[in-house]
Amino acid sequence: MNDVPVIADLAAMSAWSEAARGQGERIALVPTMGALHAGHLSLLAEGRRRAHRVVLSIFVNPMQFGPQEDLAKYPRDLPGDLTRAASMGCDVAFVPEAASMYGPSFQTAIDVREVSRGLCGECRPGHFVGVATVVCKLFNIVRPHVALFGEKDFQQLAVIRRMGADLNLPVEIVGLPTVREPDGLAMSSRNAYLSPADRQRAGALLAGLSAAKALAEKGERRASVLLDAATTEIARRVDRIDYLEVRASDDLKPLQIIDRPAVMLVAAFVGGTRLIDNLRLG
Ligand code: PAF
């Protein structure tokens, strides 16, 4: 099987999409930063089901990394990604250069104000401005009918949905469930940073979320009680909890009592690696 063809040029990508649209074809876009894992492949597979053409974008977006974050060492594996994408029936990989995405005069930023606040938005200032801005640019360049994102990045998905609705973007945003390793660890490109010992400890995140979910399923409605149960599991095995919160699953408003669909979200450091996960509480 041949690898997926690569387009780096922004105008060439738009022309490719225009040609496909001209033939009445639906286009699915799966935006990624590469280092593809099974979670990304599930997005490509769903894109394949929903559209005639599937575009994978691979762009390690400097605008969403803080100065102390892992931009330089973020895992990169373009040849492997192109082979994996081909195996999912992807049609083209859009792999732009940072210099063509952000020219010297670039000065625009999209701030999805409320949904971006708190959680990862608090721990990673400016992160969601970078995400929203690059996703909007990708939508404008690729012009997909549908774009697919993983629910592992729950707040990111909420930010992108809000942006799509607020800016009337003509793209259907689809979120797909988190894909997990056999032991339950949420798939993430950053899992590659974990040592074998840290990999074991990382299981604490799902263990904590599952303890809270089990209580919620028995009828517990107080967020404080659910958070205590999760904290007991998580805190003893990770190095630091960045946040552990219960939020409404649609607008991410903080909840004290679970009286509407809710999600528990966690970010924690295991060794030097920051991991995130979430579980719907029913
Ligand atoms: O989830 C990611 O990989 C990135 O945040 C995204 C959506 C591709 C934007 O750079």
Side-chain angles (χ1 to χ4, degrees):
M1 186 186 303
N2 291 334
D3 281 354
V4 170
V6 172
I7 296 179
D9 184 68
L10 277 55
M13 184 67 245
S14 296
W16 184 98
S17 290
E18 280 313 307
R21 279 180 169 260
Q23 291 174 7
E25 293 180 334
R26 265 176 74 79
I27 300 171
L29 171 65
V30 176
T32 78
M33 299 203 298
L36 300 189
H37 51 65
H40 297 119
L41 302 189
S42 78
L43 302 178
L44 290 170
E46 186 60 23
R48 181 80 278 160
R49 280 189 282 276
R50 288 174 180 254
H52 302 99
R53 299 289 187 149
V54 181
V55 179
L56 164 72
S57 68
I58 300 178
F59 180 59
V60 183
N61 172 33
M63 196 175 170
Q64 68 188 74
F65 287 78
Q68 311 303 327
E69 293 184 351
D70 56 346
L71 173 63
K73 70 167 190 152
Y74 194 83
R76 289 165 170 87
D77 177 18
L78 185 58
D81 287 346
L82 298 178
T83 306
R84 282 185 281 273
S87 75
M88 303 310 293
C90 174
D91 292 288
V92 68
F94 176 47
V95 189
E97 296 289 336
S100 33
M101 289 292 273
Y102 302 113
S105 318
F106 187 89
Q107 51 189 284
T108 300
I110 297 177
D111 186 2
V112 182
R113 286 197 292 263
E114 281 179 35
V115 185
S116 296
R117 299 294 175 260
L119 305 170
C120 285
E122 186 163 329
C123 308
R124 304 182 67 187
H127 171 66
F128 288 119
V129 169
V131 169
T133 305
V134 81
V135 169
C136 188
K137 283 173 69 68
L138 290 168
F139 286 176
N140 286 334
I141 296 162
V142 178
R143 293 199 51 223
H145 297 83
V146 55
L148 301 104
F149 300 87
E151 283 191 349
K152 199 212 76 176
D153 297 296
F154 202 91
Q155 188 177 15
Q156 166 172 284
L157 180 56
V159 165
I160 292 167
R161 284 193 199 284
R162 191 68 260 151
M163 171 182 74
D166 288 355
L167 301 184
N168 309 92
L169 301 180
V171 185
E172 181 192 0
I173 312 288
V174 174
L176 291 190
T178 303
V179 176
R180 297 181 179 278
E181 301 281 0
D183 66 354
L185 181 65
M187 295 262 179
S188 164
S189 306
R190 290 190 169 97
N191 291 352
Y193 300 151
L194 294 167
S195 70
D198 288 345
R199 176 75 184 66
Q200 291 268 323
R201 293 198 293 142
L205 274 69
L206 183 62
L209 297 175
S210 304
K213 186 180 170 75
L215 276 182
E217 281 171 356
K218 283 188 194 140
E220 179 57 63
R221 290 287 166 261
R222 290 165 297 175
S224 60
V225 176
L226 303 178
L227 289 168
D228 283 350
T231 306
T232 306
E233 284 291 333
I234 298 172
R236 63 192 168 88
R237 282 160 71 196
V238 307
D239 296 302
R240 194 181 94 217
I241 297 179
D242 245 1
Y243 62 75
L244 178 63
E245 292 193 32
V246 176
R247 299 278 183 119
S249 32
D250 52 359
D251 56 12
L252 291 188
K253 293 251 160 57
L255 292 181
Q256 264 78 52
I257 297 292
I258 317 267
D259 52 7
R260 47 197 279 216
V263 58
M264 184 176 278
L265 306 105
V266 63
F269 277 89
V270 179
T273 307
R274 184 176 182 275
L275 300 172
I276 61 171
D277 202 350
N278 65 80
L279 216 52
R280 288 177 193 271
L281 297 173

